[in-house]
């Protein structure tokens, strides 16, 4: 079975491997002469069209262009791995007076380094991860940096609780269960308390305008200190441009601005696909499980990586690719069209209630819930209740430890003989890079007993809730 893989970034490389694991024959198309995905741009897929015999064969005609010459190849299936950070969202029409501004302005995608901004006054519009990173870097060379944010954001350090990475602490099954079980108001209160433990966001002008809907936080270890030192000045939304200045929502303005960088995000598009296959409107799209177009007669085209999980994208794309390649082979089946449409609408409602209606949140998903759904179909989701009776130590690690890809290699297709060892030694690998100077550990036996008893109590409570629900 020949499969076209469009894009050789993170999701594309993972998809190639999953195709090979399932005995498929992948051919990868990448814009550049090398792997790298988003950051490389030269060769290119021009069109992906249904073969005349699609209704019976599910085949596709993929037309590519290289050095001015086009070539068309027939494939049995297609994996679209082009990501969602290639088409800049650049809404200049939302900024009155931008055409009169005499300074330089461009999208953050064009920013490369801070050398050209020495001594200049710069405004960065938008406070996602890119906007904050650019503002911090420019604050070391520019005369002054202003960071404009419409809604604010929770800012987190990459070094989280006890020095561990954020997702290692956040993406555990127990933490996820708590977030989705406890009353929403309590979860919001707990989230605000934890986010403000590092610094009070309101004092820095960063507190989100709407804290009832959780978005992916902003990670930046330096932003608070750059604000404290005055190198970065936080401003509200821009309301108007003049020839040399910008006015803001609170009535203030900044003068003599040399450069404006719009860190306004991206929108996803599929220029090589006809709208009858995939239609994108206002950054919204209808895909079954964020992968399959809802109206295809044959499930032979899937989109990999068009999600924004509250966790790592690489492991999410891997599970997607593992599931899709098995669908291609007929080992996993899709439900009837009516069930697919109902599932898509249900997932949209859940996403709306959790993350809100903003265009940048339309592909946000709950990391663990999403992976569990796909791996249930594959047959590789860990059976925690069974493990509690057969291997309680491993079950404890799965419930309270980070949800790593090895959890989905314990059983079923793609099983790894060393998956258990991988899970049991996760913390050793996480801390290995930092332990370059060996420090003698203090006696923590008493604390271990306390934590052990506490953990067993929590585990008993969890089991009671699960059994009650069943």
């Amino acid at each position: 079975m020949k499969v076209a893989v469009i894009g050789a970034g993170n999701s594309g490389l993972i998809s190639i491997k999953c195709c090979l694991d399932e005995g498929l024959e992948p051919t990868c198309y990448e814009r550049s002469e090398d792997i790298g995905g988003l950051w490389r741009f030269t060769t290119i897929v021009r069109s992906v069209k249904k073969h005349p015999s699609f209704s019976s064969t599910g085949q596709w005609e993929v037309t590519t262009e290289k050095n001015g010459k086009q070539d068309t190849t027939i494939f049995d299936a297609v994996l679209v791995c082009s990501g969602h950070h290639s088409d800049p969202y650049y809404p200049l029409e939302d900024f009155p007076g931008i055409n009169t501004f005499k300074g330089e302005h461009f999208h953050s995608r064009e920013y490369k380094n801070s050398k050209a901004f020495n001594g200049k006054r710069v405004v960065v519009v938008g406070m996602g991860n890119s906007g904050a990173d650019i503002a911090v870097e420019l604050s070391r060379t520019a005369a002054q940096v202003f960071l404009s944010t419409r809604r604010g954001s929770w800012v987190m350090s990459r070094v989280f609780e006890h020095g561990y990475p954020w997702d290692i602490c956040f993406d555990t099954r127990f933490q996820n269960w708590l977030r989705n079980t406890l009353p929403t108001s309590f979860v919001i209160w707990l989230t605000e308390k934890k986010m403000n433990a590092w610094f009070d966001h309101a004092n820095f002008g960063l507190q989100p305008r709407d804290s009832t809907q959780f978005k992916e936080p902003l990670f930046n270890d330096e932003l608070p200190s750059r604000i404290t030192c005055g190198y970065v000045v936080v401003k509200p939304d821009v309301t108007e441009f003049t020839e040399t200045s910008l006015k803001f929502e609170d009535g203030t303005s900044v003068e003599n601005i040399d450069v404006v960088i719009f860190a306004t995000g991206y929108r996803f598009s599929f220029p090589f696909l006809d709208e009858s296959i995939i239609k994108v409107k206002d950054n919204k799209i209808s895909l079954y499980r964020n992968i399959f177009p809802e109206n295809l007669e044959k499930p032979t085209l899937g989109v990999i990586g068009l999600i924004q999980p509250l966790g790592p994208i690489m492991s999410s794309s891997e599970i997607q690719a593992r599931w899709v390649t098995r669908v291609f082979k007929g080992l996993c089946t899709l439900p009837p069209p009516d069930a697919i449409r109902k599932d898509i609408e249900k997932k949209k409602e859940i996403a709306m209630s959790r993350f809100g209606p903003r265009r940048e949140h339309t592909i946000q998903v709950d990391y663990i819930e999403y992976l569990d759904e796909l791996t249930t179909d594959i047959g590789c989701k860990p059976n925690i209740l069974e493990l509690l009776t057969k291997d309680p130590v491993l079950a404890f690690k799965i419930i309270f430890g980070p949800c790593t890809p090895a959890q989905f290699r314990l059983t079923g297709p793609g099983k790894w003989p060393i998956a258990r060892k991988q899970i049991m030694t996760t913390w050793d690998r996480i801390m290995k890079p930092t332990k370059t100077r060996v420090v003698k550990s203090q006696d923590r036996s008493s604390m271990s007993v306390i934590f052990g008893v506490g953990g067993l109590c929590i585990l008993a409570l969890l089991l009671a809730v699960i059994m009650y629900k069943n």
Side-chain angles (χ1 to χ4, degrees):
M1 190 174 187
K2 296 175 62 179
V3 180
V5 179
I6 302 175
N10 287 326
S11 297
L13 296 177
I14 289 169
S15 296
I16 293 170
K17 178 189 181 299
C18 290
C19 284
L20 295 174
D21 287 345
E22 290 293 343
L24 307 180
E25 183 183 327
T27 299
C28 184
Y29 295 100
E30 167 58 34
R31 293 181 182 182
S32 74
E33 297 296 330
D34 198 359
I35 62 173
L38 177 62
W39 308 114
R40 295 178 175 272
F41 323 97
T42 51
T43 61
I44 188 169
V45 173
R46 287 298 179 191
S47 70
V48 176
K49 297 180 179 180
K50 292 179 180 178
H51 189 271
S53 64
F54 179 84
S55 59
S56 59
T57 64
Q59 291 183 325
W60 298 87
E61 295 179 344
V62 178
T63 301
T64 59
E65 182 177 311
K66 184 175 182 180
N67 299 326
K69 295 182 179 180
Q70 292 193 356
D71 181 63
T72 299
T73 308
I74 297 174
F75 287 94
D76 300 304
V78 176
L79 287 174
V80 179
C81 309
S82 51
H84 51 93
H85 288 118
S86 58
D87 190 2
Y89 178 61
Y90 200 12
L92 295 183
E93 65 278 3
D94 293 344
F95 298 93
I98 184 65
N99 293 330
T100 66
F101 181 62
K102 292 185 176 180
E104 183 183 5
H105 65 85
F106 55 88
H107 192 272
S108 58
R109 192 170 189 262
E110 300 177 42
Y111 176 87
K112 300 303 178 185
N113 57 63
S114 62
K115 294 179 182 179
F117 302 90
N118 186 37
K120 294 187 177 181
R121 290 169 60 82
V122 183
V123 175
V124 179
V125 178
M127 204 182 71
N129 283 289
S130 295
D133 284 347
I134 290 172
V136 167
E137 183 170 285
L138 286 177
S139 70
R140 300 189 183 93
T141 57
Q144 183 64 66
V145 176
F146 300 92
L147 180 58
S148 168
T149 175
R150 178 176 297 176
R151 294 177 302 277
S153 182
W154 296 121
V155 180
M156 297 176 62
S157 171
R158 291 177 175 86
V159 181
F160 201 56
E161 293 176 341
H162 308 294
Y164 299 133
W166 169 77
D167 57 341
I168 291 297
C169 304
F170 184 84
D171 287 322
T172 73
R173 292 184 176 276
F174 180 70
Q175 291 280 352
N176 202 65
W177 175 77
L178 284 179
R179 286 191 296 272
N180 294 334
T181 304
L182 294 173
T184 303
S185 58
F186 181 74
V187 173
I188 292 172
W189 174 82
L190 197 63
T191 299
E192 290 192 6
K193 183 176 177 61
K194 183 163 289 189
M195 295 296 181
N196 283 322
W198 183 21
F199 67 93
D200 191 318
H201 283 63
N203 290 341
F204 284 67
L206 299 173
Q207 177 106 4
R209 180 178 292 178
D210 183 3
S211 59
T212 63
Q213 286 153 348
F214 189 75
K215 56 169 281 188
E216 185 179 18
L218 187 159
F219 291 95
N220 198 295
D221 297 86
E222 298 181 75
L223 182 60
S225 66
R226 304 310 286 178
I227 294 172
T228 301
C229 297
Y231 296 114
V232 174
V233 176
V234 179
K235 303 294 289 184
D237 193 23
V238 177
T239 57
E240 185 181 355
F241 281 77
T242 68
E243 290 185 352
T244 59
S245 66
L246 282 75
K247 296 180 181 179
F248 299 95
E249 193 176 45
D250 60 357
T252 63
S253 62
V254 292
E255 306 290 336
N256 302 318
I257 299 302
D258 301 297
V259 182
V260 177
I261 301 174
F262 287 91
T264 44
Y266 296 81
R267 56 188 170 195
F268 47 85
S269 62
F270 304 93
F272 47 83
L273 285 171
D274 188 81
E275 283 195 354
S276 63
I277 300 170
I278 294 182
K279 184 176 181 178
V280 181
K281 184 178 180 181
D282 299 327
N283 234 42
K284 296 178 182 177
I285 191 170
S286 291
L287 298 176
Y288 178 61
R289 293 189 175 172
N290 297 80
I291 296 173
F292 283 109
E294 61 175 320
N295 296 317
L296 278 185
E297 310 97 295
K298 298 283 185 179
T300 55
L301 182 143
V303 182
I304 304 297
L306 192 65
I307 54 174
Q308 198 160 295
L310 293 173
I313 183 65
M314 286 75 77
S315 52
S316 304
S317 295
E318 182 197 31
I319 295 298
Q320 285 185 319
R322 288 177 66 186
W323 181 64
V324 170
T325 51
R326 293 182 66 78
V327 171
F328 288 168
K329 291 181 66 176
L331 300 176
C332 293
T333 58
L334 303 189
D338 285 347
I340 287 178
R341 283 190 286 271
K342 288 179 181 178
D343 184 82
I344 290 174
E345 292 305 313
K346 179 182 176 182
K347 298 296 170 50
K348 286 182 179 179
E349 291 175 5
I350 293 173
M352 178 74 74
S353 64
R354 288 182 180 176
F355 309 116
R358 300 297 306 176
R359 58 177 302 281
E360 60 267 31
H361 302 157
T362 57
I363 54 174
Q364 200 111 30
V365 296
D366 183 296
Y367 176 68
I368 294 178
E369 279 188 359
Y370 184 68
L371 297 193
D372 278 353
E373 184 177 42
L374 294 179
T375 54
T376 297
D377 274 6
I378 297 172
C380 61
K381 178 187 173 184
N383 188 329
I384 298 175
L385 289 179
E386 181 179 319
L387 286 174
L388 283 170
T389 60
K390 295 183 177 179
D391 195 341
V393 176
L394 177 60
F396 191 88
K397 291 281 189 180
I398 290 176
I399 295 171
F400 296 102
C403 185
T404 61
Q407 289 194 12
F408 306 108
R409 295 289 184 174
L410 287 166
T411 187
K415 178 180 178 180
W416 288 348
I418 62 168
R420 184 185 188 279
K421 180 181 178 182
Q422 289 285 95
I423 295 170
M424 299 300 291
T425 57
T426 296
W427 291 107
D428 297 334
R429 293 193 305 281
I430 290 171
M431 298 312 300
K432 178 68 174 178
T434 65
K435 290 189 175 181
T436 53
R437 171 178 172 261
V438 179
V439 178
K440 185 177 180 180
S441 300
Q442 298 178 352
D443 184 13
R444 298 175 181 169
S445 57
S446 59
M447 290 301 295
S448 298
V449 172
I450 294 173
F451 282 122
V453 173
L456 289 175
C457 292
I458 294 173
L459 185 59
L461 175 63
L462 177 63
L463 282 173
V465 172
I466 292 174
M467 293 176 68
Y468 174 76
K469 285 186 174 182
N470 290 337

